[in-house]
Amino acid sequence: MPERKEMKAVIQRVQHAGVSIGGELHASIGKGLLILVGIQADDTDEDIEWLTSKIGNLRVFNDENGVMNLSVKEINGEILAVSQFTLMARTKKGNRPSYIDAARPEISVPLYERFVRVMNEEMQKEIKTGVFGANMQVDLTNDGPVTILMDTKNRI
């Protein structure tokens, strides 16, 4: 049986973040989370449900005592989700990354769109996004810095 691949997310706690396309600002957020999302062909709705719930409830914001004890939902923060196939890079051989593990657009676009819909439901408000497949420039101020890598294969 082949090894199961995983959906990946890089979560960054930000003071603000934005994504521009062709020199024009497409979307921006204030205090919240920037999520870079990588999708593989065998990712499922179960992966999306687990990941969005985990992200929405991840306690990475400081409480009144300066302890990371609050979630993005609890601070009424914002989310900017950006698709990023390069998270699936294989770098074991040579110096040119291979992206063979990244799902092709006919698979990844519907999964990314589902991720966004489920994240909207989790947050109970609309999250901001980049544009799938576009050449985007992402600008952010990482707060902390706090950067967390999650994948749906390692749920322990």
Side-chain angles (χ1 to χ4, degrees):
M1 186 161 107
E3 180 182 0
R4 186 185 172 332
K5 307 296 189 213
E6 71 273 3
M7 180 177 282
K8 291 183 182 178
V10 174
I11 298 110
Q12 296 181 310
R13 184 178 78 180
V14 298
Q15 291 177 0
H16 59 83
V19 61
S20 295
I21 302 167
E24 297 290 324
L25 183 64
H26 173 74
S28 65
I29 63 168
K31 186 175 182 175
L33 299 175
L34 169 64
I35 307 168
L36 306 175
V37 182
I39 298 170
Q40 294 191 352
D42 60 352
D43 290 334
T44 65
D45 284 349
E46 181 183 331
D47 294 315
I48 292 168
E49 296 286 341
W50 180 85
L51 191 58
T52 54
S53 176
K54 199 72 164 171
I55 291 169
N57 293 293
L58 196 61
R59 298 186 308 167
V60 295
F61 292 91
N62 293 346
D63 63 15
E64 65 279 356
N65 298 314
V67 176
M68 285 195 285
N69 202 29
L70 300 173
S71 71
V72 68
K73 291 193 297 190
E74 291 171 311
I75 67 154
N76 196 30
E78 297 179 276
I79 290 182
L80 173 59
V82 177
S83 62
Q84 188 170 1
F85 77 93
T86 59
L87 288 177
M88 298 302 140
R90 280 191 195 179
T91 58
K92 189 173 182 177
K93 289 174 36 178
N95 293 317
R96 179 178 292 151
S98 167
Y99 303 107
I100 194 166
D101 290 335
R104 300 204 35 85
E106 58 270 15
I107 294 171
S108 56
V109 170
L111 286 172
Y112 174 71
E113 290 172 351
R114 171 104 172 107
F115 173 87
V116 170
R117 282 192 308 275
V118 175
M119 195 79 245
N120 285 336
E121 293 167 11
E122 179 67 34
M123 292 297 294
Q124 297 183 358
K125 65 180 179 181
E126 188 173 341
I127 68 168
K128 305 286 180 70
T129 65
V131 174
F132 191 96
N135 181 2
M136 297 175 274
Q137 292 69 52
V138 180
D139 180 46
L140 69 134
T141 299
N142 192 320
D143 185 17
V146 174
T147 302
I148 297 173
L149 175 63
M150 297 178 75
D151 68 65
T152 59
K153 181 180 176 187
N154 296 312
R155 297 184 188 189
I156 298 173

